[in-house]
Amino acid sequence: MTHSATTEPAGAGRVQRTTRDLTRAAVSGWLGTAMEFMDFQLYSLAAAIVFNKIFFPGASPALGLLAAMATYGVGYVARLVGAVYFGRMGDRVGRKKVLVITILMMGAATTLIGVLPTYAEIGLLAPTLLVALRLVQGFGAGAEIAGATVMLAEYAPVRRRGLVASLASLGTNTGTLAASGLWAVLLAVLTEDQLLSWGWRLPFLLSFLPLLFALWLRRSLKESPVFEERPDVVDGVAVKTDELRSAVGEETAGTLEAGLRQRKGRAFFLTLGLRFGQAGNSGLVQTFLVGYIAGTLAIDRSVPTDAILYGSLIGFVTVPAIGMAGDRWGRRPVYLALSGLTIVLAFPLMLMIAHGSTVALTLGMILALNIGVLGLFSLESVTMAELFGSRTRFTQLAVAKEIGGVLATAIGPVLAAALTAATGSWWPIAAMLVVYSLITLLSALFAPETRGRDLVRVEDAV
């Protein structure tokens, strides 16, 4: 195992960016990620609350809900396709171009959902259009958080890279809270008839406002300095491998080819392992536990949902704090500490959640969310970018995020439901937290320390 860091040189020839440029990039990354999670949370809540009645009214309540959630699920299929397509585009023609396209696709699709005719108006064409917009939304979202993460990491000063890159993770809290808040207000002030006739459209239509601001911000954003510094980029486009010598000269081409000949794959699988803990723990804590507490433990649903709300608010401190810790002590030590702490605390925290008082349950969920989910997400934002070389960073990062999300976040709650039903106990949830976190701990042990790595280098860190 190699654990040495490659520090970023500070010599002449680097593309310079001002503090204003960095601020614009940071706000752009945070806002884009916030919009992605707001869009998906708006849809998921609408699918659970009203879409089964508006778009699938002929089915039984159970089948209507199933159909509504199925349209929610197709977005995740589109995400993986979008990760591959836009990831390759971002590595070839630049990060900025892709980020403008993805936020436009996401925002436009979300806004158009708000003007869709219902099943009562146009029949089966209504759910068909809903699925089509969901696919467009997911296609753009598949590269949004990866692109924002890459852009922030490549923009950031090397000594503050973890803190700046963590802003992409912070956008997840912002978007989730904004969507939940909008729906909470609607449910509180509107009657069911008002909600079903016109109220459900408001959150989707209101998303047009942040879209306009984000689009303006990204169009005026300068390209990533790392992309412009890449030796294989000529006139804003990455040179194909077989054209390197004629395009960039013999000496530069020779250096590039040495990096390109590196055997790929190890960095990708290490990244997938690092992603597994965060994504798996997220599916258990933020998705499965809410239903388990309300259904199996027969505790009012407001208790776990309030706990997630409080935990997300505390996350506004946790995420940047972990980013700063990674900048000070390195990515590996903080990864090992967070994943190790989650392993040690998994059974005690689940005991608090399953058999404790309301206060103990709330505290347990807050700790699980901030240590095992948000803390790891903050580290993930910068470490993934540093593990990959500049020529394929966007593609590899986007695909690793989406595959990890599908394998852990999507499948985990289903497995947890089966295991808790079979055993009649909470311990399988704790065991799954241990397994997910152990995968991340082992991946961190085998990964190199990437703090300070020169992100212009075309080869992966391993």
Side-chain angles (χ1 to χ4, degrees):
M1 291 184 289
T2 302
H3 300 305
S4 60
T6 306
T7 54
E8 186 171 358
R14 290 286 184 182
V15 174
Q16 299 299 314
R17 290 288 184 260
T18 65
T19 302
R20 183 178 179 181
D21 293 330
L22 176 59
T23 302
R24 192 180 290 269
V27 174
S28 168
W30 162 76
L31 185 59
T33 306
M35 282 190 61
E36 174 190 345
F37 277 77
M38 183 179 76
D39 291 348
F40 269 65
Q41 186 71 357
L42 283 177
Y43 189 97
S44 64
L45 290 171
I49 297 169
V50 298
F51 278 0
N52 58 320
K53 301 172 184 176
I54 295 170
F55 291 101
F56 309 97
S60 67
L63 287 177
L65 180 60
L66 179 61
M69 296 308 295
T71 62
Y72 172 72
V74 299
Y76 281 92
V77 177
R79 287 180 70 102
L80 182 55
V81 179
V84 175
Y85 180 82
F86 285 118
R88 296 182 66 181
M89 181 188 292
D91 284 326
R92 189 177 70 253
V93 300
R95 295 29 171 144
K96 174 187 171 179
K97 293 182 178 67
V98 168
L99 287 173
V100 170
I101 295 171
T102 56
I103 205 160
L104 181 60
M105 290 181 67
M106 282 176 12
T110 302
T111 303
L112 287 173
I113 288 174
V115 299
L116 278 180
T118 65
Y119 184 92
E121 295 169 321
I122 61 171
L124 288 174
L125 186 57
T128 303
L129 290 173
L130 181 65
V131 170
L133 288 176
R134 181 64 177 161
L135 287 170
V136 172
Q137 188 188 59
F139 189 59
E144 171 58 39
I145 194 170
T149 298
V150 168
M151 185 68 115
L152 286 179
E154 293 184 345
Y155 244 94
V158 64
R159 295 181 183 276
R160 295 290 180 266
R161 191 183 288 157
L163 173 61
V164 174
S166 74
L167 293 177
S169 306
L170 207 57
T172 65
N173 288 25
T174 309
T176 301
L177 288 171
S180 301
L182 280 171
W183 272 107
V185 170
L186 290 177
L187 291 170
V189 302
L190 298 180
T191 65
E192 184 172 0
D193 287 342
Q194 289 172 326
L195 189 67
L196 292 175
S197 61
W198 55 268
W200 68 270
R201 299 181 185 276
L202 292 180
F204 298 98
L205 295 175
L206 288 173
S207 69
F208 186 67
L209 297 177
L211 167 63
L212 288 179
F213 177 63
L215 193 58
W216 169 80
L217 193 65
R218 288 195 172 175
R219 284 181 61 84
S220 58
L221 183 66
K222 294 180 181 177
E223 180 56 81
S224 155
V226 168
F227 183 81
E228 291 187 351
E229 290 170 16
R230 273 172 48 184
D232 63 322
V233 171
V234 178
D235 296 328
V237 180
V239 177
K240 295 180 180 179
T241 304
D242 57 0
E243 298 173 353
L244 281 176
R245 293 193 181 278
S246 59
V248 301
E250 291 289 330
E251 183 177 346
T252 301
T255 304
L256 280 169
E257 285 177 338
L260 295 175
R261 283 198 300 269
Q262 178 193 36
R263 187 175 180 179
K264 300 290 183 180
R266 186 177 178 190
F268 181 84
F269 285 106
L270 285 173
T271 298
L272 202 57
L274 295 177
R275 169 72 168 150
F276 223 79
Q278 185 277 327
N281 294 345
S282 175
L284 292 176
V285 175
Q286 294 179 277
T287 301
F288 177 74
L289 268 182
V290 174
Y292 178 80
I293 290 168
T296 304
L297 301 183
I299 296 173
D300 190 277
R301 185 176 291 271
S302 65
V303 176
T305 52
D306 286 348
I308 294 296
L309 175 63
Y310 301 145
S312 296
L313 290 171
I314 293 171
F316 282 97
V317 176
T318 301
V319 168
I322 295 298
M324 289 189 287
D327 284 331
R328 180 169 183 178
W329 293 299
R331 321 302 181 207
R332 292 182 70 250
V334 184
Y335 250 121
L336 294 173
L338 287 173
S339 53
L341 194 57
T342 305
I343 292 170
V344 171
L345 292 178
F347 279 87
L349 289 179
M350 277 306 307
L351 186 61
M352 291 171 62
I353 292 169
H355 296 293
S357 63
T358 299
V359 173
L361 184 155
T362 301
L363 181 60
M365 290 196 70
I366 289 173
L367 289 173
L369 178 64
N370 278 269
I371 296 171
V373 180
L374 298 180
L376 289 177
F377 203 1
S378 177
L379 273 179
E380 176 184 297
S381 296
V382 66
T383 311
M384 282 187 171
E386 291 173 330
L387 275 168
F388 296 125
S390 59
R391 189 171 169 92
T392 59
R393 176 173 295 127
F394 199 151
T395 305
Q396 292 198 81
L397 196 155
V399 173
K401 273 185 174 291
E402 295 309 318
I403 290 179
V406 170
L407 290 178
T409 310
I411 296 176
V414 177
L415 179 60
L419 291 174
T420 52
T423 61
S425 176
W426 54 265
W427 69 260
I429 309 171
M432 289 181 68
L433 287 171
V434 170
V435 171
Y436 284 141
S437 301
L438 184 60
I439 291 172
T440 289
L441 186 144
L442 292 174
S443 299
L445 277 174
F446 284 93
E449 176 54 67
T450 57
R451 179 183 58 165
R453 187 168 190 263
D454 182 2
L455 296 186
V456 180
R457 298 180 64 167
V458 298
E459 74 274 15
D460 293 343
V462 288

